[in-house]
Amino acid sequence: MGKFTSLLVALTYVAVVLSVSITDIQGISWQSPFVGQTVNNLTGIVSAKGTSGFYLLGNKTSDERASNGLFVFTTSTAILKQVNVGNLISLSGKVQEFRSSTAPNDLVGTELGSPSNIVVLSQNNTVTPVILGQDRSPPMQLFSALDVGLDGFLSVPNNVSLIDSVNATLQPDLYGMDFWSSLEGQLVTIPGPIGTAFPNSFGEIWVHGTWGTTGKNSRGGLTMTFGPDGIPDGNPETVIVGAPLDGTKNPATAVGTGFSDITGVVLFQFGFYYVLPLTAPTVISVPNPVIPPSTIVPDFSDACAITFGDYNVENLSPTVAHLPTVAMHIANFLNTPDIVFLQEIQDNDGATDDGVVDANVTLTTLVNSIASFSNVTYAFTSINPVNDQDGGEPGGNIRTAYLYRPERLKLFGGSPAGGSLDPVSATATPSMKPHLNFNPGRIDPTNAVWDASRKPLVAHWETPSGEDFFTINLHLVSKDGGSSTQGNARPPVNLPVDVRTGQVSAVATFVESLLALNPNASVLVAGDCNEFVETRTVFAPFAPILQDIDAVAGIADVERYTYVFDQNSEQLDHAFISSAIVARGGVEVEHVHVNNWSPTLAVRASDHDPTVGKIRIC
Ligand SMILES: *[C@@H]1O[C@H](CO)[C@@H](O)[C@H](O)[C@H]1NC(C)=O
Ligand SMILES: *[C@@H]1O[C@H](CO)[C@@H](O)[C@H](O)[C@H]1NC(C)=O
Ligand SMILES: *[C@@H]1O[C@H](CO)[C@@H](O)[C@H](O)[C@H]1NC(C)=O
Ligand SMILES: *[C@@H]1O[C@H](CO)[C@@H](O)[C@H](O)[C@H]1NC(C)=O
Ligand SMILES: *[C@@H]1O[C@H](CO)[C@@H](O)[C@H](O)[C@H]1NC(C)=O
Ligand SMILES: *[C@@H]1O[C@H](CO)[C@@H](O)[C@H](O)[C@H]1NC(C)=O
Ligand SMILES: *[C@@H]1O[C@H](CO)[C@@H](O)[C@H](O)[C@H]1NC(C)=O
Ligand SMILES: *[C@@H]1O[C@H](CO)[C@@H](O)[C@H](O)[C@H]1NC(C)=O
């Protein structure tokens, strides 16, 4: 017995003496080398306290990959009373990897559970945060080394690997997620935070600080762009600021709001690396409340120039409160373009699910409201969906529709409007103006790619001087159920990206049929594509036949956005033009930020910003 006991004693003695540090526990990869193990005599200075635990700072090593911060999970009020910020303590506990939700998207975070043997060794020690932008700065383009593919984090296929399982060594100089992971549990200061979005429904706010950024737009947000190497840039230099640890509430934010410096701790939860502030910041600056209208105006002196608007008007029914605002936007900010592409026009009784599919009351109400702001009375056209078959809010029967100024445009020729299930097709004519069997008509409406999604609305237009052009109004299938930019799945899950690609392909096939009949046909495809052009695989079918109007018009990359989501200003709404339009020149486009420059989320009329453009059709 004697020998055996002394061996055990020796082992115990070794374990006690060679106690681990916080940097040992954090390690230099995603999961701790000590997971599941009980550690004793761990020392650290208490840097912050919340209701579900406290944060410790240990000594730093020269290896930036190993965080010297650690979250100690406990809801024991006795323990929480025992430790105070500035205390140097020693304690025991069990190293664990915690996932904040069972959603497979969430990463695990390293923490110490079941804290015990807490001894306060000294008090009133200084806790020094890492000053971001000074001591450490986040990478500005890529999220993860696992985002393989030419489209970076937007590459297809998605979810090829999981960060947790690969458990690679951190590369915090190159990859945003690795950077934030190397600060897990740390106390950090964000100097000069600027809001890049509206608060989410939990009052959490996305910011960047005074450090290097890419994609910075004129409003102060960060736009998703391509990096210098042609790989998409999703702005990993932003961070979400969660609920303050002291129970105060974050102020509301908007794109471009300036805040007082934020000091808080880094923690992964709910799909992202968060900074949980010690206390709520205050607003110190707000962007200019005056939102300018588009400078593009209809030009009645030029028979060849057509102006168009494009606007996802978010579940517009006759009685919704935002209808007059949308009408005012079309009149005063879009300058009553010759034609307006609308998405999310609901049926006459909105979300009531009673078989009503007509939208003439919705569109007439909108037209009358626009007239009250402008003296312009639009005509309209759309095709009813089959009841409840085109997705969107249940019962709402959203569809795309056109408003057009009858003194400027009429539907070409004498073809009847198509029904919900009638496929539009084009045939040759001696005049080189391809003839549509239905005008307007829907593209391949029974193709499975359009199940529970809006069918594109094709129309052929004629001007008073006899010029013609084609339009296709898109509202591609919504992003639904994807994973977050900082989630476990790499590249992040983008649903249903295969369906969207099939939809673009179906539209491209129709455009090709027009161009086969007249390679010089003027074709304008516009609408809510629910996808970024940086996801190049989705738009690949357009590449040989259509060009992105933003690129043709030379819009600065950082100003190409119509939507704000999570950290990014991004473009979901696009217009594409055929080569003949490109060749004629004079192409203009502007995204009018009537909604995403709003001072608050509540006053937005829609989640999308509208766009105005000008093309020449002769
Ligand atoms: C993660 O990597 C670290 C360091 O290489 C290793 O000690 C640990 O066991 C790994 N954990 C898992 C779950 O793979
Ligand atoms: C180390 O931890 C053990 C277990 O909590 C404790 O008995 C011992 O006193 C500690 N040693 C030091 C030097 O703090
Ligand atoms: C950091 O290292 C010094 C010197 O070894 C030691 O006195 C101090 O207690 C350590 N601090 C922490 C938090 O472990
Ligand atoms: C990603 O794939 C894994 C299997 O490797 C699966 O468990 C997980 O649910 C997928 N993630 C998402 C967000 O679909
Ligand atoms: C020192 O720390 C103790 C306990 O943590 C606290 O009560 C006291 O106010 C602190 N003193 C100073 C000068 O901060
Ligand atoms: C809508 O269409 C129905 C059926 O054609 C018609 O009775 C009604 O007058 C129309 N309403 C408006 C406002 O155009
Ligand atoms: C509409 O036209 C009337 C009569 O010409 C004019 O008095 C009014 O100012 C116009 N309203 C707008 C909004 O243009
Ligand atoms: C298309 O337009 C170009 C340039 O105006 C012209 O040279 C060409 O003949 C046209 N092609 C057809 C098929 O009309």
Side-chain angles (χ1 to χ4, degrees):
M1 167 190 163
K3 209 172 177 184
F4 190 51
T5 309
S6 54
L7 181 64
L8 272 181
V9 168
L11 282 175
T12 311
Y13 180 74
V14 167
V16 168
V17 172
L18 297 182
S19 61
V20 299
S21 66
I22 288 175
T23 49
D24 293 333
I25 290 173
Q26 288 288 6
I28 58 167
S29 52
W30 298 85
Q31 301 217 39
S32 173
F34 292 91
V35 68
Q37 295 185 34
T38 295
V39 294
N40 294 312
N41 308 95
L42 182 68
T43 54
I45 300 172
V46 178
S47 61
K49 264 167 71 168
T51 51
S52 60
F54 57 93
Y55 294 79
L56 285 180
L57 279 189
N59 280 328
K60 191 73 193 129
T61 69
S62 60
D63 191 338
E64 284 189 333
R65 295 172 295 182
S67 177
N68 61 325
L70 184 67
F71 177 55
V72 180
F73 172 72
T74 180
T75 50
S76 154
T77 46
I79 291 179
L80 288 170
K81 262 194 200 134
Q82 197 188 342
V83 297
N84 285 303
V85 172
N87 290 170
L88 172 66
I89 65 170
S90 83
L91 78 172
S92 303
K94 190 174 175 188
V95 178
Q96 53 202 35
E97 292 289 349
F98 176 70
R99 213 181 288 282
S100 70
S101 94
T102 52
N105 179 46
D106 277 355
L107 289 178
V108 290
T110 305
E111 64 182 34
L112 193 74
S114 313
S116 62
N117 302 325
I118 294 178
V119 179
V120 177
L121 303 172
S122 65
Q123 297 184 352
N124 305 105
N125 296 285
T126 310
V127 187
T128 310
V130 172
I131 314 286
L132 297 175
Q134 185 179 309
D135 302 328
R136 301 278 309 275
S137 294
M140 297 179 281
Q141 182 184 359
L142 306 171
F143 290 104
S144 167
L146 300 181
D147 292 339
V148 291
L150 285 179
D151 289 350
F153 78 106
L154 301 171
S155 296
V156 177
N158 307 154
N159 197 13
V160 175
S161 51
L162 299 174
I163 284 189
D164 280 355
S165 315
V166 176
N167 191 32
T169 303
L170 300 180
Q171 301 183 71
D173 293 335
L174 293 177
Y175 302 106
M177 293 182 69
D178 302 49
F179 173 83
W180 296 108
S181 180
S182 76
L183 291 169
E184 188 177 38
Q186 254 289 8
L187 188 71
V188 298
T189 293
I190 304 171
I194 302 287
T196 67
F198 298 101
N200 67 17
S201 54
F202 303 102
E204 299 165 344
I205 57 181
W206 281 97
V207 301
H208 69 78
T210 45
W211 54 72
T213 56
T214 53
K216 181 109 171 149
N217 60 48
S218 70
R219 191 63 168 180
L222 298 191
T223 305
M224 191 187 292
T225 55
F226 284 109
D229 56 0
I231 304 285
D233 175 346
N235 298 316
E237 68 270 37
T238 50
V239 68
I240 185 168
V241 176
L245 292 173
D246 66 353
T248 54
K249 297 257 179 288
N250 287 324
T253 183
V255 177
T257 307
F259 298 100
S260 56
D261 293 358
I262 294 169
T263 295
V265 289
V266 176
L267 181 77
F268 188 95
Q269 56 177 4
F270 315 126
F272 298 103
Y273 282 99
Y274 277 67
V275 169
L276 302 181
L278 303 180
T279 192
T282 55
V283 171
I284 59 172
S285 65
V286 293
N288 187 346
V290 180
I291 300 171
S294 173
T295 63
I296 299 172
V297 290
D299 183 358
F300 285 25
S301 71
D302 184 346
C304 288
I306 296 292
T307 56
F308 70 94
D310 174 38
Y311 199 174
N312 179 326
V313 294
E314 198 173 3
N315 291 327
L316 197 86
S317 66
T319 53
V320 287
H322 68 282
L323 185 143
T325 309
V326 165
M328 184 273 284
H329 287 161
I330 292 170
N332 296 349
F333 287 85
L334 309 193
N335 308 322
T336 49
D338 298 323
I339 181 168
V340 184
F341 294 58
L342 298 172
Q343 299 91 40
E344 296 203 16
I345 294 296
Q346 290 197 332
D347 64 35
N348 292 339
D349 63 5
T352 307
D353 194 2
D354 57 359
V356 168
V357 288
D358 284 342
N360 64 331
V361 178
T362 308
L363 287 160
T364 301
T365 308
L366 179 62
V367 163
N368 291 342
S369 186
I370 295 170
S372 77
F373 290 107
S374 67
N375 285 345
V376 172
T377 301
Y378 280 102
F380 60 80
T381 186
S382 75
I383 296 176
N384 293 338
V386 176
N387 186 41
D388 293 341
Q389 291 308 302
D390 279 14
E393 189 179 22
N397 285 312
I398 55 170
R399 86 286 315 269
T400 62
Y402 295 106
L403 304 182
Y404 59 101
R405 295 180 64 160
E407 72 277 25
R408 296 277 286 162
L409 296 174
K410 63 175 187 183
L411 286 163
F412 186 93
S415 297
S420 316
L421 300 177
D422 294 329
V424 67
S425 63
T427 47
T429 66
S431 71
M432 295 295 287
K433 292 175 178 167
H435 173 82
L436 297 184
N437 58 342
F438 298 110
N439 192 19
R442 302 174 106 197
I443 294 176
D444 202 6
T446 56
N447 182 333
V449 294
W450 303 116
D451 286 356
S453 180
R454 283 62 53 183
K455 285 68 177 166
L457 187 65
V458 178
H460 188 188
W461 303 97
E462 183 175 10
T463 67
S465 58
E467 303 296 338
D468 76 312
F469 65 104
F470 295 89
T471 59
I472 303 177
N473 189 342
L474 301 181
H475 186 186
L476 303 184
V477 66
S478 309
K479 286 189 181 295
D480 188 17
S483 63
S484 68
T485 50
Q486 296 180 1
N488 202 5
R490 307 315 303 177
V493 177
N494 176 3
L495 289 174
V497 71
D498 51 336
V499 177
R500 256 190 305 281
T501 310
Q503 294 185 339
V504 170
S505 179
V507 175
T509 300
F510 177 77
V511 174
E512 277 160 3
S513 76
L514 290 178
L515 296 175
L517 299 172
N518 178 4
N520 286 347
S522 299
V523 185
L524 168 62
V525 179
D528 174 4
C529 299
N530 275 308
E531 193 55 82
F532 325 115
V533 289
E534 290 85 359
T535 314
R536 279 170 290 207
T537 48
V538 169
F539 292 105
F542 281 170
I545 48 172
L546 295 168
Q547 292 187 46
D548 176 5
I549 199 169
D550 282 73
V552 175
I555 301 300
D557 291 354
V558 297
E559 305 305 336
R560 297 184 192 177
Y561 64 94
T562 60
Y563 205 81
V564 172
F565 184 72
D566 287 341
Q567 63 269 58
N568 287 318
S569 297
E570 59 195 30
Q571 193 178 357
L572 295 178
D573 306 85
H574 305 283
F576 300 92
I577 50 180
S578 59
S579 315
I581 298 177
V582 177
R584 287 182 205 114
V587 171
E588 295 174 39
V589 73
E590 289 175 7
H591 305 294
V592 189
H593 303 296
V594 287
N595 294 313
N596 289 312
W597 284 12
S598 292
T600 67
L601 194 59
V603 304
R604 292 196 308 186
S606 168
D607 46 350
H608 292 253
D609 283 327
T611 293
V612 183
K614 191 184 223 176
I615 57 169
R616 299 182 60 76
I617 54 159
C618 49

